[in-house]
């Protein structure tokens, strides 16, 4: 059994008088246990969400439970689709959540202001209507999408103490967050192709990467992410759950949700591995190939100044790739080899993986890219002049 605390049926009679009266009237056998870990507000509805994995029930009790709960009882096991999931937040620091909300609020503010500025200046400044900046706008957009997907539950937990999320809401958040994350990987690959074309064929750069082609690349990236995530969503939706509904983060991750069902989850795991390989694995490999081709092209430039100028245009993108993949690889290694490490460290790394790139990328591009910096200065000067 997957339980953290067991309550005998005599305690259940006190905690769930309505459930106990109704179930006893239908002959529910009394030698079962209830999991209560992580549930603080008890009600009759909660009782059905924390039923045990295996408990003997009589046929008349089965009829009662079917009437009261969206469950399927087979082989003595109560299987159901949970009405809600409980998001733990940061384990061990529940009493400090109001203080923890301050850095999270600051982080979200920086992300939305920074990426919003990038999108705004690319939209209004004709000088920035070039392929490189269109791809940068895509990157800012998907990073805003990732953060917007997590914000309702993160701030709900730390500001208002709301730990519950509906089953449908949890699946929607998982789908949205992972889809935007996959899109981010695809956009970084597209940006590496953009850098290769700009260095290899600068005279035909805007012709090769015309707006229709850039639009097609963006649509392909979005479609790939959505089509890869949809099967995972439907597979998870069809699995039975048997009593445990606590998730270890402040948002719904597929890796968390896949631990809860009491059926065979190997198809989900195999498909998840395929998605990771076909996106992060393939994208990172192609990014490395792109930079090998860039390096080969740069070494063919005669002057040292020309080589440096060509490589300097890639610095911001290299930083974006590193701040995206380094936390991801670190988190994967932590899950694989660091199971004995404190859960707090895993939570910290998961948050770093989601929030570090959207915070850092606008800062890096604003500092390292002269055109972005100049456009921000011109926009601020124009606003000051209007005032």
């Amino acid at each position: 059994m997957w339980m953290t605390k067991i309550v005998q049926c005599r305690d259940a009679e006190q905690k769930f008088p309505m459930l106990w009266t109704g179930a006893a009237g239908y002959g529910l056998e009394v030698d079962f246990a209830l999991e209560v870990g992580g549930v603080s507000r008890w009600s009759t509805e909660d009782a059905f969400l924390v039923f045990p994995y295996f408990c003997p029930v009589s046929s008349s009790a089965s009829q009662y439970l079917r009437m009261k709960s969206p469950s399927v009882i087979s082989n003595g096991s109560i299987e159901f689709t949970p009405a809600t999931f409980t998001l733990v937040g940061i384990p061990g620091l529940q009493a400090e959540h109001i203080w923890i909300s301050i850095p999270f609020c600051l982080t979200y503010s920086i992300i939305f202001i920074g990426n919003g500025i990038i999108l705004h200046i690319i939209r209004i400044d004709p000088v920035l209507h070039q392929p490189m900046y269109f791809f940068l706008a895509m990157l800012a957009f998907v990073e805003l999408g990732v953060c917007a997907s997590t914000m309702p539950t993160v701030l709900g937990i730390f500001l208002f103490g709301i730990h519950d999320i509906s089953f449908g809401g949890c699946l929607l958040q998982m789908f949205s967050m992972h889809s935007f994350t996959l899109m981010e990987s695809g956009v970084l690959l597209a940006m590496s192709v953009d850098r290769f074309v700009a260095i290899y064929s600068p005279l035909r750069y805007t012709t090769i990467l015309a707006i229709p082609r850039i639009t097609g690349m963006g649509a392909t990236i979005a479609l790939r992410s959505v089509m890869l995530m949809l099967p995972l969503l439907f597979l998870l939706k069809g699995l039975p759950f048997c009593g445990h509904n606590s998730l270890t983060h402040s948002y719904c991750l597929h890796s968390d949700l896949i631990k809860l069902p009491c059926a065979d989850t190997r198809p989900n795991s195999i498909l998840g591995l395929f998605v990771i390989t076909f996106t992060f694995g393939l994208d990172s490999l192609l990014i490395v190939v792109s930079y090998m081709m860039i390096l080969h092209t740069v070494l063919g430039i005669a002057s040292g100044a020309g080589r440096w100028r060509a490589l300097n245009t890639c610095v911001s993108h290299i930083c974006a790739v590193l701040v995206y993949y380094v936390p991801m690889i670190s988190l994967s290694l932590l899950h694989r080899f660091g199971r004995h490490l404190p859960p707090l460290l895993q939570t910290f790394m998961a948050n770093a993986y989601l929030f570090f790139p959207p915070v850092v990328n606008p800062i890096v591009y604003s500092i390292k890219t002269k055109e972005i910096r100049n456009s921000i200065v011109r926009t601020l000067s124009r606003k000051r002049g209007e005032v």
Side-chain angles (χ1 to χ4, degrees):
M1 288 190 182
W2 197 358
M3 298 188 179
T4 56
K5 185 176 178 183
I6 299 299
V7 176
Q8 301 301 325
C9 287
R10 61 178 178 272
D11 299 318
E13 182 175 6
Q14 298 172 0
K15 287 187 178 293
F16 310 115
M18 293 172 62
L19 165 67
W20 189 260
T21 302
Y26 281 86
L28 180 64
E29 298 179 16
V30 294
D31 53 340
F32 69 90
L34 293 172
E35 186 209 359
V36 297
V39 179
S40 57
R41 297 174 301 282
W42 296 98
S43 68
T44 304
E45 224 173 72
D46 291 328
F48 291 105
L49 300 181
V50 294
F51 249 96
Y53 286 95
F54 299 99
C55 69
V57 292
S58 64
S59 58
S60 55
S62 298
Q63 294 175 2
Y64 173 78
L65 291 171
R66 285 194 183 97
M67 288 189 296
K68 297 292 288 182
S69 175
S71 307
V72 177
I73 304 181
S74 61
N75 301 323
S77 174
I78 298 181
E79 302 175 350
F80 63 95
T81 299
T84 61
F85 287 108
T86 300
L87 300 169
V88 174
I90 298 181
L93 295 177
Q94 284 81 355
E96 312 299 330
H97 275 181
I98 191 63
W99 297 108
I100 296 172
S101 68
I102 296 173
F104 273 107
C105 289
L106 289 174
T107 300
Y108 278 116
S109 299
I110 293 169
I111 289 170
F112 280 96
I113 292 172
N115 287 282
I117 288 173
I118 293 291
L119 286 171
H120 179 65
I121 62 169
I122 290 174
R123 184 181 66 84
I124 66 171
D125 194 340
V127 175
L128 301 180
H129 292 176
Q130 298 179 38
M132 173 183 174
Y133 304 109
F134 290 142
F135 287 118
L136 177 57
M138 289 185 198
L139 182 65
F141 177 78
V142 297
E143 287 179 341
L144 286 175
V146 172
C147 294
S149 300
T150 62
M151 187 170 65
T153 52
V154 171
L155 296 187
I157 290 170
F158 295 115
L159 281 178
F160 307 108
I162 301 172
H163 289 264
D164 294 335
I165 181 172
S166 68
F167 180 76
C170 192
L171 291 184
L172 179 62
Q173 184 182 55
M174 180 208 77
F175 174 78
S176 173
M177 182 174 60
H178 286 306
S179 295
F180 278 116
T181 305
L182 297 181
M183 290 179 205
E184 188 170 359
S185 176
V187 171
L188 288 173
L189 172 60
M191 294 174 80
S192 70
V193 173
D194 166 77
R195 290 298 82 213
F196 170 70
V197 174
I199 293 171
Y200 182 76
S201 185
L203 297 179
R204 299 180 60 230
Y205 172 52
T206 55
T207 304
I208 295 172
L209 292 176
I211 290 180
R213 184 162 293 167
I214 294 172
T215 304
M217 291 171 71
T220 302
I221 291 167
L223 186 62
R224 180 190 73 162
S225 303
V226 170
M227 294 305 294
L228 286 173
M229 280 304 302
L230 276 175
L232 284 174
L233 181 70
F234 287 116
L235 277 176
L236 194 59
K237 194 177 189 306
L239 289 173
F241 293 76
C242 298
H244 193 3
N245 70 331
S246 292
L247 301 174
T248 56
H249 292 287
S250 309
Y251 32 79
C252 297
L253 292 173
H254 181 263
S255 57
D256 254 5
L257 286 167
I258 202 64
K259 298 174 184 176
L260 303 186
C262 52
D264 184 11
T265 59
R266 279 177 295 179
N268 301 67
S269 300
I270 293 169
L271 182 57
L273 181 61
F274 170 76
V275 170
I276 291 172
T277 304
F278 189 68
T279 52
F280 302 130
L282 182 61
D283 291 349
S284 59
L285 177 63
L286 292 176
I287 288 172
V288 170
V289 171
S290 297
Y291 271 97
M292 289 174 63
M293 295 171 68
I294 288 171
L295 187 60
H296 181 266
T297 304
V298 168
L299 292 176
I301 298 174
S303 68
R307 292 177 189 172
W308 173 250
R309 189 165 53 252
L311 286 175
N312 195 44
T313 63
C314 300
V315 171
S316 298
H317 179 254
I318 292 172
C319 290
V321 171
L322 290 177
V323 300
Y324 180 77
Y325 281 103
V326 169
M328 179 197 297
I329 294 169
S330 302
L331 183 62
S332 301
L333 292 175
L334 197 64
H335 278 301
R336 179 66 181 85
F337 302 108
R339 297 184 181 180
H340 62 286
L341 295 174
L344 186 61
L345 181 59
Q346 296 188 21
T347 303
F348 174 79
M349 286 303 301
N351 287 325
Y353 163 60
L354 283 178
F355 297 118
F356 190 56
V359 168
V360 171
N361 284 337
I363 298 172
V364 170
Y365 273 95
S366 298
I367 294 173
K368 290 297 296 178
T369 309
K370 183 176 69 174
E371 290 79 4
I372 294 283
R373 190 170 61 249
N374 291 342
S375 179
I376 293 173
V377 171
R378 283 196 302 271
T379 302
L380 291 176
S381 300
R382 189 162 54 247
K383 294 292 182 183
R384 191 180 297 116
E386 292 174 358
V387 172

